[in-house]
Amino acid sequence: MQILVVEDDLSFAQVLLKILSEDNAVHVVSGIGSAVNYLSSNPADVIVSDFRLQEGDGHQLMRFLATLNPAPPVVMITAFAEKEMAIASINLGVFALLEKPFQPEVLRRAVARALNAGLNGNRRALNSESAEIKLIAELSAVECEGQQIILTQTEFRILTLLISNAGS
């Protein structure tokens, strides 16, 4: 699979490259402009991007990706996970949001889920009126339509926040 990493911190980009390159082809770029240039002539099955970049932020990247059809799923990473930023990221279509620091396996699982969702076309919006959602706090998981999905702690907190504020 083709993974595009967007990270302006070269040492952290190397860490991400090492974590992700075991089973995937990984290309690293240092900013949004470089990502746009790369994606204009190269496919990406998933994008892993830092939220705060020198030339902008992850929301700008997401707005560009919305112009692609199909847009690859995005795993956003950040050291500054704030409620407003997280909600805006989810609204813009971020597949997963990981808060630094995280264990390498957490990133690998998030990327695997994003790859699977992108390949299977599962990036559909969940309508809470037609699907029953059960949160499993002990596992940081969600059960929906009979399928259990393990989430990162950040994903679980965001989902809990979104469900508790639905309709407000």
Side-chain angles (χ1 to χ4, degrees), residues 122-135:
N122 280 339
R123 299 189 68 215
R124 58 183 164 82
L126 198 55
N127 181 344
S128 60
E129 295 176 8
S130 64
E132 184 177 322
I133 301 170
K134 178 182 175 186
L135 297 176

Side-chain angles (χ1 to χ4, degrees), residues 59 81-91 161:
H59 293 163
E82 298 158 349
K83 182 173 90 172
E84 293 80 15
M85 183 273 291
I87 291 170
S89 296
I90 299 290
N91 288 337
L161 175 69

Side-chain angles (χ1 to χ4, degrees), residues 58-74:
H59 293 163
Q60 291 169 305
L61 177 62
M62 292 304 296
R63 284 190 275 283
F64 164 74
L65 293 174
T67 67
L68 302 180
N69 190 15
V74 175

Side-chain angles (χ1 to χ4, degrees), residues 43-102:
D45 297 306
V46 69
I47 296 173
V48 175
S49 178
D50 193 4
F51 179 75
R52 293 198 178 175
L53 299 163
Q54 288 180 358
E55 58 184 47
D57 65 31
H59 293 163
Q60 291 169 305
L61 177 62
M62 292 304 296
R63 284 190 275 283
F64 164 74
L65 293 174
T67 67
L68 302 180
N69 190 15
V74 175
V75 175
M76 192 73 62
I77 54 179
T78 183
F80 309 98
E82 298 158 349
K83 182 173 90 172
E84 293 80 15
M85 183 273 291
I87 291 170
S89 296
I90 299 290
N91 288 337
L92 287 169
V94 168
F95 184 84
L97 181 65
L98 302 182
E99 188 173 10
K100 296 176 189 175
F102 50 80

Side-chain angles (χ1 to χ4, degrees), residues 7-47:
E7 173 59 67
D8 56 5
D9 177 338
L10 285 175
S11 61
F12 193 65
Q14 291 302 313
V15 170
L16 294 173
L17 180 65
K18 184 176 180 181
I19 292 170
L20 297 171
S21 63
E22 289 179 16
D23 299 319
N24 305 289
V26 180
H27 184 80
V28 178
V29 296
S30 62
I32 297 169
S34 302
V36 169
N37 288 339
Y38 179 82
L39 291 168
S40 68
S41 59
N42 299 284
D45 297 306
V46 69
I47 296 173

Side-chain angles (χ1 to χ4, degrees), residues 130-152:
S130 64
E132 184 177 322
I133 301 170
K134 178 182 175 186
L135 297 176
I136 308 165
E138 309 82 52
L139 302 175
S140 289
V142 63
E143 187 173 301
C144 180
E145 299 176 354
Q147 184 178 22
Q148 189 178 75
I149 303 166
I150 305 296
L151 304 172
T152 66

